[in-house]
Amino acid sequence: MKILALETSCDETSAAIVEEGRKVIANIISSQADFHAKYGGVIPEMAARQHLETINFVISEALDQAQYGLDDIDAFAATLGPGLVGALLVGANAAKTLSFMTQKPFLGVNHLYAHVASNYLESDLEPPFLCLLISGGHTQILHVKHYNQIEILGTTLDDAIGEAYDKVARILGLPYPGGPALDKLAQSGNPKAFALPQARTDNPYDFSYSGLKTAVLRLYEKQMASKDPSEDFKTDLAASFQHAATEVLVKKAMAAAKSLGLNQIAIAGGVAANSAVRMKIQHAVHSENGWRFFIPESIYCTDNGAMVAASAYFNPLTTDLAMEVFSRGEQVGNPLNS
Ligand code: KG4
Ligand code: ZN
């Protein structure tokens, strides 16, 4: 089963072809980051127009790279939600048109399922496992019971971790997208230079990042009041933020896995590309006997078509369900397979 899938939920236009949900034949990504950097963030209307300009190009590139024609494809897929509405419609319309032309099925995909499914690419991971979903919009601990049955154990009460990274990067004067730039800066600083707060939450698996972000802002403002912050000050503040932001993620994910008796941990979402998260999760899992960890290649962590194809294969959804946002305590089932 070869699926051609499109991802246009935010600022990456991507088309990919994946076989049996795991083998990536082509994965073409055109990022709009440079375009939106001028404005310091994604402008939804502009994102939709950019997708419209680029979508045919990424589809042809994916087919060329795979050396396939449309006849070789068994089904077409696209992200239906959550995401920027105008942007989503570009990918959904393109995939539905291809499905109509070729009389092959159209499969709708939920963006969050797709991030989880990035762990199936080029791997042998099978549920059950614990997944830490960390992106620009989400920070969740998920119990993936079956391919199509996911329980949300904890979530952020305010900012998502990627959002906190982007906001702190802006405070430090780093260019958009802030997360990767902050990660790079943090690697040469002292993570213990500043003691930053770690929020307590009633539910042990929930997160809160707004206090941490505000603590960074206060320290920065205090420094500004006496003199311009030095490069060393910024680097150490970045490293201390990275330390505080990632320590809590790994601690809570490990605690959740232990309490459920799971010995497989996966990470997903744009922030799964973060160097500290990757190192800490590997380290934590290595110290447990017989545990396995799954970390998608960085290119499959940020938005991409390959993860959409994997999700279309393992958990195709009805349109309504594909548009739903995960919320805590909920079981997300799949009416197509149950
Ligand atoms: O999953 P994604 O591409 O889009 C959403 O679905 O949100 O995640 C984008 C988020 C942004 O906030 C970006 O700054 C963050 O992931 N990000 C990172 C890194 N790479 C991307 N954050 C920290 N460290 C990174 N290396
Ligand atoms: Zn995403």
Side-chain angles (χ1 to χ4, degrees):
M1 168 97 159
K2 299 182 192 97
I3 298 180
L4 190 157
L6 306 179
E7 158 61 35
T8 62
S9 67
C10 190
D11 61 346
E12 260 94 29
T13 318
S14 179
I17 300 170
V18 174
E19 234 179 271
E20 310 307 325
R22 295 192 188 263
K23 186 163 180 248
V24 182
I25 311 291
N27 186 36
I28 308 296
I29 304 168
S30 165
S31 173
Q32 304 175 5
D34 289 348
F35 178 83
H36 295 291
K38 296 195 280 278
Y39 309 99
V42 179
I43 314 251
E45 170 71 16
M46 301 281 203
R49 286 168 187 263
Q50 292 278 312
H51 287 308
L52 201 53
E53 293 218 347
T54 322
I55 193 77
N56 285 0
F57 170 76
V58 293
I59 295 169
S60 321
E61 280 287 302
L63 288 165
D64 281 357
Q65 200 178 86
Q67 299 193 311
Y68 287 164
L70 284 179
D71 287 351
D72 296 311
I73 305 296
D74 300 303
F76 296 89
T79 309
L80 295 183
L84 305 173
V85 176
L88 288 163
L89 288 176
V90 175
N93 262 313
K96 283 203 161 184
T97 305
L98 290 168
S99 125
F100 179 76
M101 279 165 56
T102 55
Q103 295 296 298
K104 303 273 175 64
F106 166 81
L107 307 167
V109 166
N110 178 301
H111 187 69
L112 304 176
Y113 270 97
H115 273 301
V116 174
S118 63
N119 282 284
Y120 304 133
L121 296 167
E122 313 293 353
S123 96
D124 60 358
L125 174 65
E126 288 180 7
F129 60 93
L130 190 107
C131 185
L132 190 55
L133 173 60
I134 40 182
S135 72
H138 290 81
T139 311
Q140 298 188 325
I141 297 184
L142 305 173
H143 180 189
V144 183
K145 298 177 175 178
H146 302 289
Y147 288 108
N148 55 10
Q149 198 190 6
I150 298 179
E151 185 179 354
I152 297 109
L153 302 171
T155 190
T156 182
L157 302 175
D158 38 59
D159 291 354
I161 182 165
E163 199 180 344
Y165 261 91
D166 294 338
K167 286 178 180 169
V168 168
R170 196 187 280 234
I171 294 169
L172 298 180
L174 299 172
Y176 170 87
L182 181 46
D183 182 11
K184 199 160 161 228
L185 184 66
Q187 289 175 44
S188 44
N190 173 9
K192 302 266 167 70
F194 301 99
L196 293 168
Q198 291 198 359
R200 282 181 209 287
T201 53
D202 291 342
N203 173 342
Y205 306 136
D206 279 347
F207 300 96
S208 164
Y209 279 105
S210 74
L212 178 58
K213 173 201 66 195
T214 307
V216 171
L217 179 63
R218 295 283 167 267
L219 277 167
Y220 192 82
E221 284 174 344
K222 206 169 139 204
Q223 184 74 11
M224 286 275 277
S226 51
K227 58 176 172 17
D228 269 356
S230 66
E231 286 312 310
D232 281 353
F233 171 83
K234 288 190 201 169
T235 310
D236 284 346
L237 193 52
S240 302
F241 167 78
Q242 172 129 301
H243 176 72
T246 57
E247 197 76 1
V248 63
L249 282 178
V250 177
K251 210 167 68 191
K252 291 192 174 190
M254 290 301 289
K258 279 183 190 163
S259 83
L260 290 167
L262 297 168
N263 63 358
Q264 303 196 101
I265 295 204
I267 56 175
V271 186
N274 181 269
S275 63
V277 173
R278 297 170 86 87
M279 208 176 64
K280 285 179 182 169
I281 203 96
Q282 285 186 46
H283 188 76
V285 170
H286 270 314
S287 54
E288 301 292 331
N289 221 344
W291 285 41
R292 297 177 81 201
F293 65 86
F294 293 81
I295 303 184
E297 263 182 57
S298 295
I299 198 71
Y300 303 137
C301 289
T302 42
D303 293 346
N304 67 88
M307 69 180 190
V308 179
S311 186
Y313 181 83
F314 288 108
N315 30 41
L317 301 168
T318 59
T319 301
D320 281 355
L321 208 71
M323 311 263 297
E324 258 176 37
V325 179
F326 286 9
S327 58
R328 182 172 31 141
E330 204 181 319
Q331 298 248 0
V332 190
N334 182 348
L336 295 184
N337 289 1
S338 56

